[in-house]
Amino acid sequence: MAQGAIENRISEVLYSEEVIQARVRELGEKIASDYSTGGSACDAEGRPPMLICILQGALVFLADLVRQIPTEVEFDFICVASYGNGTSPGAVRFIKDLERPIEGRDALLVEDIIDTGHTIRYLMRSFAARKPASLRVCTLLDKVARRETSVGIDYTGFVLKQDRFIVGYGMDYAELYRNLPYIAVLKPEYIR
Ligand code: PRP
C-alpha cells in the first residue's frame, strides 16, 4: 500500500464534508424535537434518550450527531461481529455490549450504513427483548439497493440508490479511510 495522503486514493466524493455536516445538523434537531416534551428530552424519571453507537463504523457519525442535539442525551457503545457462513443471516455476536441497561429507556440505535438490513434487524430484536420504553433506528446512509430484509428506519441521513463501495466518515476498506471527513469512492487500484 502506498504511503501518503489518503485523499489521493479517492476517485469521487459522493457526500462532501459540508453536505454531511448540514444533514447531521438537521438530524440532530429533528431527534431533539421528537424526543422533547416541555423543553426536556428526559422521561418521567429524568432519564434522557440513550443513543447506542454500533462500532466501529458509526463512531464518527455519533460524535457529530450528539453535538447537534441541543437537549439531554446519553450514549453508549456496542461492537458486534457476524458469525459468518452456516448461521442465520445477520446473526451477530456481541464483542462489546452496553455498559448500562436500557429497560424502560428511550433507546436509539445509531448506524453509519444499513446495507442488507440483517445486522440492524437482528439488533432490533435483541434490544427489544431488553424492554426499552422505545426503540428507534438512525442511520446516516440507507443503501436501499442491497436490502435483503425489511427494516424500519426512523431517521435517515441519505438514501444511497446505487450499490457502490464507499469509504470515509467512519466507513472503511480494510480498516483504513474511516478518518476521511467525507464519503467517497476509492480508485480501483487501491482495492485489492
Ligand atoms: C457495517 C455497518 C453496519 C453493517 C450493515 O458494519 O456499520 O453495522 O455493516 O450491514 P448489513 O445491513 O448488511 O447488515 P461492518 O460489518 O462493516 O463493521 P464496521 O462498523 O466495524 O465497519
Side-chain angles (χ1 to χ4, degrees), residues 7-23:
E7 66 180 17
N8 295 334
R9 304 176 202 166
I10 297 304
S11 70
E12 186 184 346
V13 174
L14 295 186
Y15 300 98
S16 69
E17 184 172 4
E18 293 72 23
V19 165
I20 294 170
Q21 294 302 330
R23 185 69 185 122

Side-chain angles (χ1 to χ4, degrees), residues 54-59 79-82 89-90 92 110-121 123 139 143 146-149 151 165 170-173 175 178:
I54 305 165
L55 295 171
Q56 318 289 330
L59 172 69
C79 187
V80 297
S82 50
V92 299
V110 178
E111 266 289 24
D112 53 331
I113 186 165
I114 295 178
D115 196 339
T116 65
H118 291 303
T119 303
I120 199 69
R121 190 178 164 88
L123 289 174
T139 187
K143 204 173 191 180
R146 294 254 308 161
R147 191 62 33 78
E148 292 179 7
T149 184
V151 287
F165 185 78
M171 290 172 285
D172 73 309
Y173 172 66
E175 296 302 329
R178 295 190 197 271

Side-chain angles (χ1 to χ4, degrees), residues 23 27 30-31 34-35 107-109 114 120 124 134-139 142 151-157:
R23 185 69 185 122
L27 287 172
K30 175 82 173 115
I31 289 167
D34 287 358
Y35 282 92
L108 177 62
L109 285 162
I114 295 178
I120 199 69
M124 284 293 281
S134 68
L135 182 58
R136 295 183 189 170
V137 174
C138 175
T139 187
D142 181 0
V151 287
I153 303 173
D154 300 281
Y155 304 98
T156 301

